[in-house]
């Protein structure tokens, strides 16, 4: 699903790749949709663990957010090196492909993205408490997640992880804390 999408893979192909019979598939999953939700949940469980570990580190909040963003960039670079292509984000790929088509999957993706926004919001609240950023608007965390997902989408589109090089700098601009790039005297 990550490299080819939801619509281009059927249950028969999934069974063949997993070396299981179709009847066995339906013993564990009532449908391709149920499998998709299980895949999404497993993917997010692993990602959530990584996000939470980074965002709970005992360092300043902006450093935690920067590390989170840079780790996402490195993940896309690793995929390009190992698979030969930037696959993007499974969750965003499915959201784009299935929006308005598959309500249960769409609803689960909405829950996950809301959780991502909540994790980023908590870090922004910490950063504001530390005086590192102005008090964030309610939409700031969503904008940061959208910035991350949007640039990952462009990296996938061009099959070039270098598109992500200035992701954190762009995020800092959204936060109103861009580094002073002027030459010092």
């Amino acid at each position: 699903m990550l490299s080819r999408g939801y619509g281009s893979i059927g249950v028969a192909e999934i069974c063949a790749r997993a070396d299981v019979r179709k009847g066995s598939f339906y013993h564990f999953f009532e449908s391709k949709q149920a499998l998709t939700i299980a895949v999404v949940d497993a993917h997010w469980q692993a990602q959530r663990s990584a996000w939470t570990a980074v965002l709970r580190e005992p360092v300043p909040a902006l450093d935690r957010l920067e590390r989170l963003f840079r780790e996402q960039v490195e993940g896309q670079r690793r995929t390009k090196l190992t698979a030969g292509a930037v696959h993007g984000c499974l969750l965003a790929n499915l959201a784009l492909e299935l929006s308005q088509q598959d309500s249960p999957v769409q609803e689960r993706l909405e829950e996950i993205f809301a959780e991502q926004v909540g994790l980023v919001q908590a870090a922004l609240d910490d950063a504001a408490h530390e005086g590192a950023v102005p008090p964030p608007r309610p939409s700031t965390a969503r904008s940061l997640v959208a910035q991350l997902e949007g640039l990952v989408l462009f990296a996938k589109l061009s099959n070039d992880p270098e598109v992500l090089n200035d992701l954190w700098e762009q995020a800092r601009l959204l936060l109103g804390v861009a580094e002073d790039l002027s030459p010092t005297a």
Side-chain angles (χ1 to χ4, degrees), residues 75-134:
Q76 297 301 320
R77 285 193 176 112
R78 278 191 306 274
T79 301
K80 172 72 178 198
L81 285 173
T82 60
V86 175
H87 291 160
C89 171
L90 173 67
L91 305 173
N93 293 347
L94 286 170
L96 289 169
E97 185 177 356
L98 299 178
S99 78
Q100 309 304 315
Q101 291 181 31
D102 193 320
S103 292
V105 175
Q106 179 185 356
E107 289 167 10
R108 183 63 186 121
L109 291 168
E110 285 178 14
E111 292 168 1
I112 291 169
F113 280 114
E115 192 174 347
Q116 287 181 351
V117 169
L119 290 168
V120 171
Q121 182 65 52
L124 288 176
D125 291 343
D126 289 349
H129 180 74
E130 294 166 358
V133 298

Side-chain angles (χ1 to χ4, degrees), residues 25-147:
F25 174 89
Y26 286 110
H27 175 74
F28 292 101
F29 303 102
E30 67 182 48
S31 64
K32 180 177 156 185
Q33 178 187 75
L35 171 67
T36 302
I37 291 172
V39 167
V40 164
D41 285 342
H43 181 79
W44 175 233
Q45 183 178 7
Q47 260 199 341
R48 182 193 309 118
S49 294
W51 280 44
T52 302
V54 168
L55 293 175
R56 290 189 177 154
E57 290 179 345
V59 297
L62 274 184
D63 292 347
R64 296 188 312 247
L65 282 170
E66 179 179 5
R67 179 163 174 223
L68 176 71
F69 275 52
R70 293 198 187 281
E71 284 188 4
Q72 302 307 304
V73 171
E74 287 309 310
Q76 297 301 320
R77 285 193 176 112
R78 278 191 306 274
T79 301
K80 172 72 178 198
L81 285 173
T82 60
V86 175
H87 291 160
C89 171
L90 173 67
L91 305 173
N93 293 347
L94 286 170
L96 289 169
E97 185 177 356
L98 299 178
S99 78
Q100 309 304 315
Q101 291 181 31
D102 193 320
S103 292
V105 175
Q106 179 185 356
E107 289 167 10
R108 183 63 186 121
L109 291 168
E110 285 178 14
E111 292 168 1
I112 291 169
F113 280 114
E115 192 174 347
Q116 287 181 351
V117 169
L119 290 168
V120 171
Q121 182 65 52
L124 288 176
D125 291 343
D126 289 349
H129 180 74
E130 294 166 358
V133 298
R137 296 179 179 165
S139 61
T140 302
R142 180 181 294 266
S143 295
L144 285 174
V145 172
Q147 178 72 15

